Structures are given as C-alpha cells and as structure tokens.
Amino acid sequence: MFSNLEIRVLVCKRDIEMCLNMVNSLRKYEEFKGIPIFFHSDGSLDTESENVLIRLGNVHIVNKEYADSKILEYLNDYKSCKQYRFETNKLQIPAQ
C-alpha cells in the first residue's frame, strides 16, 4: 500500500520522548510497521539518544554534519541561498 513511503522527522535531544511516542503510535497500524523512519538530527543528539531511536528498528539517523555537507553540494550554484543557509540563518533555540 505504501511501498515508496518513508517518514522523515527533524529531531533534537530534548524531544526524544515525543519521537518515541510518535513512532509507537504509527506502528500500532499494520500499514506503518515496515515503513522506514529517518530522523534528521539538529546537531544535539548524542550517541545515547541515537541508540534509543535506533532500537525502534527500521530507523536511520541523518546527522547534521552529513546533511549540511550534502545540501552544500546543491547550493554551491546558488550564492544567496547558500549564504542564507550557512551564514545568516543562525536561529539558536536554547536546550531545556
């Protein structure tokens, strides 16, 4: 039914519990049990947090450094976008 579906979630260490609840609530339904979930780290996930998510099964962690390097490849031809993404967009949300 959902053969090409994947779920992608931006996650921070503070919200691990919410992610666990989200995955468990989706996987109550047979249709969602085999769907891969990609958690994109905001840079705050440590090894312990990643291991908690990985234990859910069929989960992939995309770390911030990897994502930044991949998007940089695409933005090299778009100077303004690259500048916005890597230089001027410095939203900092304090951890709680």
Side-chain angles (χ1 to χ4, degrees):
M1 181 175 201
F2 299 117
S3 61
N4 294 321
L5 182 66
E6 58 189 38
I7 297 171
R8 294 189 176 261
V9 180
L10 177 63
V11 64
C12 66
K13 183 177 179 177
R14 179 188 65 202
D15 294 332
I16 293 294
E17 186 176 340
M18 181 176 60
C19 285
L20 295 173
N21 290 332
M22 181 270 302
V23 171
N24 289 329
S25 68
L26 279 176
R27 290 190 173 162
K28 287 180 183 178
Y29 302 97
E30 192 65 35
E31 296 87 357
F32 291 98
K33 288 186 178 177
I35 294 175
I37 301 176
F38 292 80
F39 288 109
H40 290 258
S41 174
D42 72 340
S44 67
L45 294 182
D46 55 19
T47 303
E48 180 182 350
S49 302
E50 290 178 358
N51 288 336
V52 167
L53 294 172
I54 289 168
R55 281 194 293 266
L56 291 167
N58 205 12
V59 164
H60 310 274
I61 306 294
V62 181
N63 70 41
K64 185 178 185 321
E65 294 79 19
Y66 173 79
D68 284 349
S69 71
K70 295 308 281 181
I71 198 67
L72 184 59
E73 293 174 18
Y74 294 103
L75 294 181
N76 274 331
D77 294 334
Y78 303 95
K79 182 181 175 186
S80 295
C81 293
K82 180 180 171 183
Q83 182 180 8
Y84 179 78
R85 174 70 164 84
F86 291 102
E87 297 172 23
T88 60
N89 188 16
K90 299 295 181 189
L91 177 62
Q92 297 295 320
I93 301 172
Q96 295 180 1

